[in-house]
Amino acid sequence: MSAAAAARKRGRPASGAAAGAGAGKRRRKADSAGDRGKSKGGGKMNEEISSDSESESLAPRKTEEEEEEELEETAQEKKLRLAKLYLEQLRQQEEEKAEARAFEEDQVAGRLKEDVLEQRGRLQKSVAKEIQGPAPADIRVLRGHQLSITCVVITPDDSAIFSAAKDCTIIKWSVETGRKLHVIPRAKKGVEGQPPSHSSHILCMAISSDGKYLASGDRSKLILIWDARSCQHLYTFTGHRDAVSGLAFRRGTHQLYSTSHDRSVKVWNVAENSYVETLFGHQDAVAALDALSRECCVTAGGRDGTVRVWKIPEESQLVFYGHQGSIDSIQLINEEHMVSGADDGSVALWGLSKKRPLALQREAHGLRGEPGLEQPFWVSAVAALLNTDLVATGSHNSCVRLWRCGEGFRQLEPLCDIPLVGFINSLKFSSSGDFLVAGVGQEHRLGRWWRIKEARNSVCIIPLHRAPRPPAAGS
């Protein structure tokens, strides 16, 4: 009997070498069986499993402890992120509030600066460089007067225009529609019982800054006061000894200044229907008058060649010289500066601190006549957009000319010409600066030296378009 057989008979394990060999044989058989199983079903499994499943199967699986740690860290990170987001929102809100405060402070500071400059009479907003001349087709022509227009005024809210003419009538026009809102007819001489009205050429008009009162003056030495809304007659002021040539209300009040060919300036209180005082100083018929908020007015002295500033409380006057001819029109630009026009063809800019013009533009509307006998076109009307650098002048050379005032009102530069045929007897800018109104006639408002037959007696509304501002750098 062999040793191996004896060992199996006794139930003992075989020797180490034999046992290891047997175990190796069994493992190889199992591996070969597994490989055969894989080879049989592996092709089908590889076709059905997607790449996502493969990537997931290849990714190492995390233990429960690692997942719990990750969850704890994510919660902490979320809290930190929310806290940072909240702080960032607070910072942005504070920055926006600071910017808003700075913007408001800048606006308030700018407004206060403008108010101070306006009170001192030195405010000069730059708008002229933005103005573009309108096309002739954009100009609206309102016809209703039979004779030459002599004066126009615009209501403070820019909703209506009053025009007066040599036909002794006053017409109230709607700016929006161009239709007549009311007509104050001519008074017929010798007829009793008719409502008060004008019976001679109306030379001037003025409207109070609250739009309540309208004043009109004529060649019959009368000043008529009307309710500007209903056009009903209220009072009649008498006292001038010649034609009333200029009227102006003091802004913010119902104090009325009037001037006349009798060389005087009178002060009235319209609300109380009373006369206040008379001032003298001009040496010839006064042609025009204007006033703003201060208790003073300015006058154009016609043939005496002077512009005068009347200080009402002190009962004193300042006298200015500069034009060579008759000064027929004047307009205040602000409380310290004014513009005037004369029949020598010149336009002048004045400052109250100097007795001579700050700027003088001769032959502002060119020359007329045969070679060697040329004469300048008369400047028959001037207008200024309040507290800005924009000025308009009119003559009878078939155009209204717009001008830009230089820095400190020391220069006058032409901007553009607006074609209008006839005598430009009156010019007024709207309060907003969106349009300019011209009173056009076949004759000059003060006489009949020429007659332009092709002209139409009309009120012209000239739109003023503004060029868009270039975008700011970095916007």
Side-chain angles (χ1 to χ4, degrees):
M1 184 181 297
S2 66
R8 281 196 298 273
K9 187 175 181 181
R10 289 195 297 267
R12 293 179 182 177
S15 65
K25 289 179 181 179
R26 287 193 294 271
R27 281 197 298 272
R28 281 195 296 272
K29 290 180 181 179
D31 291 341
S32 62
D35 291 339
R36 285 194 297 271
K38 287 180 181 178
S39 62
K40 290 180 180 178
K44 187 176 180 181
M45 291 174 65
N46 289 339
E47 290 177 1
E48 293 178 352
I49 295 175
S50 66
S51 61
D52 293 339
S53 301
E54 289 176 357
S55 62
E56 290 175 0
S57 63
L58 294 174
R61 295 185 178 179
K62 298 179 181 178
T63 64
E64 294 182 359
E65 292 181 358
E66 290 176 347
E67 291 178 355
E68 290 177 0
E69 290 178 0
E70 185 177 358
L71 289 173
E72 290 177 2
E73 289 176 358
T74 304
Q76 292 173 0
E77 289 175 355
K78 183 177 181 181
K79 290 178 182 179
L80 183 61
R81 178 173 57 81
L82 291 176
K84 289 182 178 180
L85 181 62
Y86 178 65
L87 291 175
E88 181 66 19
Q89 289 177 349
L90 289 179
R91 186 183 64 78
Q92 290 180 356
Q93 290 176 2
E94 290 301 320
E95 287 182 355
E96 290 174 359
K97 289 180 181 178
E99 289 178 0
R101 283 195 298 268
F103 180 71
E104 290 177 359
E105 289 173 359
D106 290 343
Q107 280 192 324
V108 171
R111 183 63 184 271
L112 289 174
K113 184 178 180 181
E114 285 188 1
D115 290 344
V116 170
L117 290 173
E118 186 174 357
Q119 289 174 2
R120 293 181 179 177
R122 298 176 182 176
L123 182 59
Q124 184 184 7
K125 297 178 183 177
S126 180
V127 301
K129 60 184 180 183
E130 302 173 6
I131 299 298
Q132 294 179 330
D138 294 336
I139 300 173
R140 291 192 290 160
V141 180
L142 312 180
R143 299 197 63 187
H145 291 284
Q146 301 300 315
L147 298 178
S148 296
I149 312 295
T150 55
C151 52
V152 295
V153 293
I154 308 172
T155 56
D157 60 1
D158 294 342
S159 64
I161 300 167
F162 288 93
S163 62
K166 289 183 177 182
D167 60 11
C168 312
T169 64
I170 299 174
I171 299 178
K172 183 179 182 180
W173 307 86
S174 168
V175 172
E176 182 178 2
T177 64
R179 296 180 179 178
K180 297 178 185 178
L181 300 177
H182 198 93
V183 178
I184 301 176
R186 174 178 184 166
K188 298 179 181 179
K189 295 182 179 180
V191 178
E192 297 181 358
Q194 61 181 336
S197 188
H198 292 283
S199 59
S200 61
H201 295 178
I202 303 170
L203 298 181
C204 54
M205 286 193 300
I207 192 167
S208 60
S209 57
D210 61 357
K212 185 175 182 180
Y213 296 112
L214 175 72
S216 55
D218 63 16
R219 284 192 175 275
S220 299
K221 317 171 193 177
L222 299 178
I223 300 172
L224 273 60
I225 307 298
W226 311 85
D227 184 316
R229 296 177 179 86
S230 64
C231 295
Q232 297 299 310
H233 176 263
L234 300 177
Y235 317 118
T236 298
F237 292 159
T238 59
H240 281 293
R241 299 181 179 181
D242 206 336
V244 180
S245 54
L247 291 167
F249 278 94
R250 180 186 172 194
R251 290 172 65 89
T253 73
H254 294 145
Q255 192 174 58
L256 177 68
Y257 304 117
S258 66
T259 192
S260 166
H261 291 175
D262 65 7
R263 300 178 291 179
S264 71
V265 174
K266 291 185 182 293
V267 185
W268 314 82
N269 189 323
V270 174
E272 298 179 2
N273 187 21
S274 61
Y275 158 79
V276 179
E277 62 179 320
T278 302
L279 304 172
F280 295 96
H282 279 291
Q283 304 302 310
D284 205 332
V286 186
L289 175 145
D290 194 26
L292 285 178
S293 300
R294 293 180 182 175
E295 199 169 356
C296 66
C297 62
V298 297
T299 53
R303 288 289 170 189
D304 74 1
T306 65
V307 169
R308 299 186 184 231
V309 177
W310 303 83
K311 298 182 178 180
I312 308 301
E314 295 88 347
E315 296 185 0
S316 63
Q317 56 188 287
L318 302 174
V319 185
F320 301 82
Y321 299 89
H323 291 285
Q324 300 299 318
S326 174
I327 307 173
D328 296 331
S329 52
I330 195 165
Q331 177 86 47
L332 280 163
I333 303 173
N334 56 31
E335 297 285 4
E336 291 286 335
H337 299 90
M338 51 192 169
V339 59
S340 62
D343 67 359
D344 63 355
S346 62
V347 177
L349 294 176
W350 308 83
L352 298 190
S353 59
K354 292 192 174 182
K355 298 298 183 71
R356 292 287 177 180
L358 299 175
L360 183 65
Q361 182 70 42
R362 300 189 184 278
E363 301 174 6
H365 282 262
L367 299 172
R368 59 181 177 84
E370 299 178 359
L373 299 174
E374 297 95 340
Q375 293 291 326
F377 282 99
W378 294 6
V379 178
S380 52
V382 297
L385 184 56
L386 184 63
N387 293 322
T388 71
D389 60 348
L390 183 60
V391 167
T393 60
S395 183
H396 61 284
N397 66 325
S398 302
C399 76
V400 171
R401 184 159 291 174
L402 299 183
W403 305 80
R404 176 182 175 272
C405 301
E407 184 68 27
F409 299 97
R410 297 185 178 277
Q411 192 175 5
L412 204 55
E413 303 169 359
L415 283 179
C416 62
D417 290 346
I418 302 168
L420 279 182
V421 178
F423 280 89
I424 311 301
N425 289 323
S426 183
L427 288 169
K428 286 290 185 295
F429 282 102
S430 64
S431 301
S432 62
D434 292 336
F435 60 91
L436 172 68
V437 177
V440 184
Q442 293 181 333
E443 301 171 347
H444 192 282
R445 76 182 186 99
L446 297 177
R448 304 187 66 182
W449 299 285
W450 300 280
R451 183 178 177 84
I452 303 175
K453 294 182 179 180
E454 59 270 22
R456 295 187 293 176
N457 301 316
S458 59
V459 175
C460 297
I461 302 177
I462 304 166
L464 299 177
H465 303 295
R466 301 195 182 192
R469 295 183 178 182
S475 62

